[in-house]
Amino acid sequence: MRRARRIPIVLCALTSLVCGAAVARADVPPGATAAPACTGDSGPVPLSKSIAVCGTTFPAWDTAYLLAGIGATGFWISASSETDSSALSSIVMLDAAGNTVTRTFATQEGTSIFPYGEGSHALAYNESLVPGELLLGRYDVAGGFAPVFQHKLLLDTERAQVTNDLAGRFIVTEDKNDTIEVVVFATNGAVEWARTYSSAAFGFSSPTPFDTQVSYTERLADGSYAIEVVKQSIDLGTFAFTTTTHIVKLSATGTVEWAKTFAGLTGSVNTAEYVNGSLSFSIAEANFSNPAATPTAVVGRLSSNGTVLWSKRLTGARLVPVGPLPGDRLLLTGSIGTSENPFSSTALAVLSSNGTLEAQTQFNAGTYTVGYPTVREGAVYMSLLANDSEDGPLVDGGASYIGVGDATLSGFQWKQHDQPSHWTFLAPDDDTDRVAVSVFDQATHTLHAYLLDATLGGAGACDRFVSASVTNSAPGITVEDVAVTPSDLVVTSAAFTPTVQAGALGFESFTTREVAICAAGGGGGGGGGGGEEVVLSASSVDVVAAGGTGSIGVTTTSAYSVSSDAAWLTFSGAAQRTGNSTIAYSVAPNLDPAPTGTNPRRTAVLTVGDKTFTVTQAYLAAPVQATPSGAPTNLGTSAGSGHVDVLATTGTEWRVVSSPWIEIETTTNPDGSTRITWDVSNPQPIGARSGSVRIVDAEGDTIYTLPISQAGAGGVAPTNMSARTLVGTGDKILIPGFVVGGSGQTRVMIRGVGHTLGAFIGNGTLDDPRFLVYRSVPPVNGVEQPDVFVGQNDSWEDDRDRIAAYADELGAFPLTDARDAARVSALDPGAYTIHFSSASGASGIGLVELYELDASDNRGLVNLSARAEVGANDLVMIPGFAVQGDEPVQVLVRGVGPTIGSYGVQGVLADPEIEVFDSDNVSIGGNDDWGTNADLAALQQAVAASGAFDLLADSKDAAILLTLPPGTYTAHIRGKGADVGVALLEVYFLRDL
């Protein structure tokens, strides 16, 4: 790994720009936005200024904000750049005047990097590079980012939470279900203390995929610590959430001082440091039965020994604590709105030291208003972002406001930035009266950073902020006492020695383009030298057919206008400008059919003052152009995902098909291209498999293929089932059933066939078949619950392309009649039934098929069943099933008539017979009466292991236990002699899930 080194500032040609040097590295990661090329400068630029990444070695920022609180030492910019898989973090260190001193990018995706306290150092960590390893270190920012220490902490899990204090300590919390480990690293990298914490209340005895526990530790101002453990479970029957929060208070050396449990609440408890060693807590209550109900929150205060001093329920908003105000008062904030628009306004409230509501207000600056307050010495500073678009300001950007008021929440003075943004961040400096303000424009990937005084003016503030008004009103929040009684929790603790090895993270310096927003001392943005000509950093550019973005630098002291002569060439920012600036432009994909001729191109022009900038763009080389993301497609025994971006000329028809175990989703990119996202969620397929994502034209001919493969993990699993019989009406419809086991969703294809079946068996097939799928719900407090409707289908034409492609790959016969039914579904673990009948009310021979699309040894189909009227000849019911894998499986097959009569089923088959056949139609076993089995004890043991209901003693029901190698089988159930009646055929696969 290459260590970052300090490099002197590089001077460039333009008078208002500054660039820092960078070392060469790999190309910008997939999914990240390339930064524009750097153009010259004349030296450092102080605050206030606009700053953005430039050069080709690092991506543009997707988020950035300015931090204060380091006093005369200076300021920080914390930023990140999104990639396909994670993000790249970066920081910029500024001196007291706001001049850039150091710029550092983390070269490994997923690294978190942040400054702390005394200002000349930064902390960084990464837990995503290698599972079970946490890399962390402290670095001398002013000294070329040289490491003070770099460690690798070995973990037993992948669930570590990392926090830090202002002194520069690292606090690592690893959640190991019933045990929590905390390691504290001092500023020199030494382990200050490390302890384990155990409690019978931690973790889950038999966790499901829906059970979660998250733990983290924070150091409080008095040097003590607090661990917060949040557990959440979901009842799969009622889908109700249960949340339990444990708070463990620790001494400065990690010993337990007290521990409390908050249980029976409808939301997780969030704590924050209050004053004098106490903690505030808040619970944003959830109403799952009525999401549109008036929002409520419970807020309270814990003493330094864990006693609840007071607790209140606030109705009208879900408020959370921001921080203390003078007099031990507490400031809270939250959003107010409706279920359709929960962010119509931002609310503030002040509670007294005993929880009395002293003040409240709400701010509204648009249909959507998102904001957050900060507090300094009794003053309340607010930043707001607002717009009227459907997706809200965090997606589309909006108007940026900053304001300041007092603890009475009255007299707020507001200012508005003269350009829209995607986020505004306001940070009062704790050591001076200055306020750092940052406005980030995601469209141009640029941070506008300002240094204002305590009144949000003066101190060289530019007139880019103008006086504004924001509507405020009383939100009608009410407060009432509510009993919150946490119980004592027994937590044992012991010291341990963590495994700490040498580690290393990668960092490199990078370049920025910095533009002075206005002259030092305040006032406008340029001025002087009227009539000077415009100088552009470039006069032309060639662009590929896919389009893209770029920028050009403008040097002048004059006023000028910017315009484009083509709809496909656009620019961001104002059309009327004065002085030096950067014009960010965007070129749309060229989807016009290519004209004849050699190397055809289209041309557009940006006019900037008295100069022009010409853009020449190519046409697509083929009607459809596909570009894969570069994600691995040979997955081994791992899950994986990626995407393919598709450009097609106007009027070209195409569609995408994939293998059944490869899920795809199509979305439209901002540039107008189509993104096909593919996902393989099963990391353990039973057998090796090769598939693809294909783009085909209107005739079905393949245009592009992305091959995807996986290695097999071994094991055994049932992969499909079918049931064929005479399907009637009422109680005589066909009702196959199946159980999905394991964890996570299982994707299946269900087909209900009548008309296409005629090609195989002649007349008498079911007319207009349809099926409905239901999921069984367990009883609640002994009360039976109705089944939940999952979905239905009566025409496979609803999803024709996918159904046909899946059938072809699975080897199923093709459907030829649109009146047959088929559906693809992703099903959670549970028991399901398929109700198969005729939509026209007719009777006839019908076939139900169930295919598992992504077989795995640790999830999927567990058992199969089918219920219908059964007799002889056409009334014989013939369920089929297939076993995939590399080992035999024990199968319990039962034909039940008399016993289901005891459950209320009328007209049951009195004496069912079963017989199992292999794919060559050779009988491999059968039974008439279950009590005649030679090894009755083994049969009864299998019934108990499968969870099947017991058969009535001495009944005429049939059952047989078989050991079957992988293959395809059918099970015939018929009535003895001329006997006719309703019967149930069951197949249980006896394997450990």
Side-chain angles (χ1 to χ4, degrees):
M1 186 200 72
R2 180 172 50 214
R3 176 180 299 173
R5 51 194 176 89
R6 193 174 185 185
I7 299 175
I9 293 175
V10 176
L11 302 183
C12 308
L14 289 181
T15 58
S16 64
L17 304 182
V18 60
C19 296
V23 293
R25 68 182 299 274
D27 291 338
V28 171
T33 301
C38 289
T39 53
D41 78 352
S42 62
V45 176
L47 290 172
S48 298
K49 61 184 174 183
S50 296
I51 181 170
V53 181
C54 68
T56 59
T57 55
F58 285 95
W61 287 333
D62 290 297
T63 57
Y65 53 91
L66 185 66
L67 297 173
I70 310 175
T73 304
F75 301 87
W76 295 83
I77 294 172
S78 179
S80 67
S81 308
E82 296 179 3
T83 69
D84 276 345
S85 57
S86 184
L88 289 172
S89 297
S90 56
I91 61 170
V92 178
M93 181 181 177
L94 311 176
D95 64 18
N99 295 298
T100 298
V101 177
T102 305
R103 312 164 186 81
T104 304
F105 239 112
T107 59
Q108 295 148 322
E109 294 183 46
T111 296
S112 296
I113 175 174
F114 43 93
Y116 68 90
E118 44 80 23
S120 62
H121 289 76
L123 303 177
Y125 71 91
N126 192 313
E127 58 179 333
S128 63
L129 293 179
V130 178
E133 294 183 2
L134 172 65
L135 299 176
L136 68 166
R138 177 187 176 204
Y139 302 88
D140 182 355
V141 178
F145 227 76
V148 176
F149 71 85
Q150 296 190 109
H151 290 333
K152 178 197 297 181
L153 176 64
L154 300 188
L155 307 172
D156 293 324
T157 68
E158 298 177 33
R159 294 185 295 172
Q161 302 292 326
V162 182
T163 56
N164 72 291
D165 69 354
L166 289 179
R169 290 178 176 84
F170 267 115
I171 307 159
V172 181
T173 308
E174 184 177 8
D175 196 321
K176 301 169 66 174
N177 198 34
D178 58 351
T179 300
I180 295 168
E181 293 184 352
V182 179
V183 182
V184 178
F185 291 92
T187 57
N188 63 357
V191 175
E192 196 165 287
W193 57 265
R195 300 188 69 88
T196 63
Y197 302 91
S198 301
S199 173
F202 293 165
F204 304 91
S205 57
S206 300
T208 73
F210 305 100
D211 295 330
T212 59
Q213 175 173 290
V214 178
S215 308
Y216 62 93
T217 307
E218 290 196 7
R219 188 172 188 265
L220 308 181
D222 62 359
S224 64
Y225 295 82
I227 305 175
E228 189 168 310
V229 184
V230 179
K231 295 173 53 178
Q232 191 171 75
S233 300
I234 302 176
D235 187 313
L236 297 182
T238 63
F239 295 100
F241 289 76
T242 300
T243 301
T244 302
T245 302
H246 309 298
I247 300 174
V248 184
K249 182 68 162 49
L250 310 177
S251 70
T253 58
T255 57
V256 177
E257 293 184 345
W258 53 263
K260 301 286 184 179
T261 292
F262 293 76
L265 304 171
T266 57
S268 62
V269 177
N270 299 299
T271 61
E273 190 166 5
Y274 199 169
V275 290
N276 303 323
S278 67
L279 297 171
S280 65
F281 65 85
S282 63
I283 309 159
E285 297 185 293
N287 189 333
F288 297 103
S289 61
N290 183 15
T294 301
T296 61
V298 173
V299 178
R301 181 177 174 187
L302 294 173
S303 71
S304 58
N305 63 7
T307 303
V308 176
L309 298 176
W310 52 263
S311 54
K312 305 286 182 176
R313 173 173 284 114
L314 286 75
T315 301
R318 292 191 177 97
L319 299 174
V320 296
V322 176
L325 291 167
D328 287 0
R329 292 175 295 174
L330 185 65
L331 177 67
L332 304 103
T333 189
S335 291
I336 292 181
T338 64
S339 57
E340 291 78 19
N341 175 16
F343 303 107
S344 61
S345 62
T346 295
L348 297 180
V350 175
L351 300 183
S352 69
S353 59
N354 62 6
T356 302
L357 180 63
E358 289 189 346
Q360 60 175 299
T361 190
Q362 63 179 338
F363 301 112
N364 180 275
T367 303
Y368 294 82
T369 303
V370 180
Y372 196 77
T374 54
V375 177
R376 183 183 67 184
E377 298 178 354
V380 179
Y381 292 89
M382 284 291 300
S383 60
L384 294 177
L385 194 63
N387 74 5
D388 298 320
S389 75
E390 182 177 350
D391 293 327
L394 297 183
V395 176
D396 293 336
S400 297
Y401 298 87
I402 56 176
V404 59
D406 58 27
T408 66
L409 304 185
S410 62
F412 269 84
Q413 300 297 315
W414 292 97
K415 290 192 170 185
Q416 181 179 355
H417 196 253
D418 69 353
Q419 289 185 352
S421 74
H422 286 77
W423 188 246
T424 300
F425 190 80
L426 188 150
D429 187 346
D430 290 335
D431 299 310
T432 71
D433 65 350
R434 299 177 299 181
V435 179
V437 179
S438 51
V439 179
F440 187 74
D441 183 358
Q442 202 169 56
T444 61
H445 305 275
T446 299
L447 178 72
H448 307 296
Y450 301 88
L451 187 56
L452 311 181
D453 64 18
T455 64
L456 302 182
C462 304
D463 55 5
R464 296 286 294 275
F465 283 104
V466 296
S467 296
S469 61
V470 172
T471 302
N472 73 292
S473 59
I477 298 170
T478 60
V479 175
E480 60 181 342
D481 291 327
V482 61
V484 175
T485 54
S487 58
D488 291 329
L489 175 68
V490 177
V491 177
T492 60
S493 173
F496 80 102
T497 301
T499 303
V500 181
Q501 301 174 354
L505 290 169
F507 302 96
E508 293 178 6
S509 58
F510 65 101
T511 58
T512 53
R513 171 182 288 117
E514 304 185 16
V515 181
I517 292 176
C518 58
E532 180 183 341
E533 70 173 355
V534 169
V535 177
L536 301 183
S537 60
S539 61
S540 64
V541 67
D542 288 329
V543 180
V544 297
T549 59
S551 64
I552 52 175
V554 182
T555 304
T556 186
T557 58
S558 300
Y560 57 94
S561 61
V562 184
S563 62
S564 169
D565 68 352
W568 54 268
L569 173 61
T570 59
F571 62 93
S572 59
Q576 301 296 324
R577 307 186 184 203
T578 300
N580 302 328
S581 74
T582 300
I583 301 174
Y585 63 85
S586 178
V587 180
N590 186 356
L591 304 183
D592 294 334
T596 58
T598 304
N599 197 24
R601 295 287 189 271
R602 68 177 182 179
T603 301
V605 174
L606 275 181
T607 300
V608 184
D610 60 346
K611 297 295 189 298
T612 58
F613 176 73
T614 302
V615 177
T616 303
Q617 187 179 25
Y619 288 85
L620 290 175
V624 176
Q625 175 180 298
T627 305
S629 63
T633 57
N634 186 355
L635 303 179
T637 53
S638 299
S641 62
H643 66 259
V644 178
D645 287 329
V646 180
L647 285 171
T649 56
T650 303
T652 300
E653 294 184 21
W654 62 274
R655 54 191 171 89
V656 59
V657 295
S658 70
S659 300
W661 48 276
I662 304 172
E663 296 183 71
I664 56 173
E665 179 183 9
T666 58
T667 55
T668 301
N669 291 324
D671 64 3
S673 63
T674 299
R675 172 157 293 185
I676 304 167
T677 301
W678 60 268
D679 180 68
V680 177
S681 59
N682 180 9
Q684 294 182 314
I686 289 178
R689 54 191 182 182
S690 297
S692 65
V693 175
R694 291 187 299 122
I695 298 171
V696 299
D697 61 19
E699 287 72 38
D701 295 329
T702 298
I703 302 172
Y704 170 83
T705 300
L706 179 71
I708 300 173
S709 61
Q710 261 188 316
V716 62
T719 55
N720 61 56
M721 63 152 283
S722 64
R724 194 193 84 182
T725 192
L726 179 64
V727 180
T729 60
D731 290 339
K732 297 178 182 179
I733 68 172
L734 175 59
I735 308 179
F738 60 96
V739 173
V740 174
S743 60
Q745 291 189 321
T746 294
R747 296 176 64 243
V748 300
M749 180 173 69
I750 303 171
R751 304 203 306 179
V753 188
H755 299 282
T756 301
L757 202 60
F760 302 96
I761 64 172
N763 297 327
T765 58
L766 187 67
D767 176 62
D768 199 8
R770 74 169 179 186
F771 61 78
L772 296 87
V773 182
Y774 294 88
R775 183 177 184 271
S776 300
V777 178
V780 176
N781 298 324
V783 179
E784 294 293 330
Q785 302 296 306
D787 290 349
V788 175
F789 175 71
V790 175
Q792 65 177 338
N793 187 265
D794 62 2
S795 173
W796 70 287
E797 288 282 343
D798 297 341
D799 195 7
R800 182 184 183 90
D801 290 343
R802 183 162 63 155
I803 296 295
Y806 285 4
D808 180 62
E809 182 147 343
L810 292 166
F813 62 83
L815 299 180
T816 57
D817 195 301
R819 291 171 292 177
D820 289 320
R823 172 188 175 95
V824 174
S825 299
L827 303 179
D828 294 319
Y832 297 83
T833 54
I834 303 170
H835 293 225
F836 183 51
S837 61
S838 166
S840 64
S843 298
I845 301 295
L847 172 69
V848 170
E849 299 174 302
L850 172 69
Y851 295 90
E852 183 175 357
L853 301 179
D854 197 4
S856 173
D857 189 53
N858 60 1
R859 71 178 186 193
L861 301 179
V862 179
N863 68 297
L864 315 169
S865 65
R867 196 191 88 177
E869 186 178 45
V870 173
N873 300 320
D874 286 344
L875 286 178
V876 173
M877 183 166 62
I878 309 176
F881 58 93
V883 177
Q884 179 183 342
D886 55 8
E887 57 189 59
V889 62
Q890 200 170 40
V891 177
L892 171 65
V893 183
R894 305 201 306 180
V896 188
T899 297
I900 62 172
S902 68
Y903 289 92
V905 178
Q906 302 297 315
V908 299
L909 188 65
D911 190 0
E913 294 179 333
I914 57 174
E915 191 169 9
V916 179
F917 295 83
D918 64 14
S919 58
D920 294 324
N921 206 30
V922 175
S923 175
I924 55 176
N927 181 258
D928 183 1
D929 300 331
W930 71 277
T932 63
N933 274 272
D935 193 346
L936 194 57
L939 182 70
Q940 292 172 324
Q941 184 179 5
V943 170
S946 67
F949 60 84
D950 290 330
L951 300 178
L952 296 174
D954 300 324
S955 73
K956 292 292 186 178
D957 298 310
I960 188 172
L961 186 63
L962 299 170
T963 299
L964 303 178
T968 303
Y969 302 89
T970 56
H972 295 214
I973 179 171
R974 62 175 66 86
K976 197 168 186 178
D979 194 13
V980 176
V982 177
L984 174 70
L985 191 286
E986 301 175 301
V987 182
Y988 293 90
F989 299 87
L990 305 178
R991 56 174 183 152
D992 183 15
L993 289 176

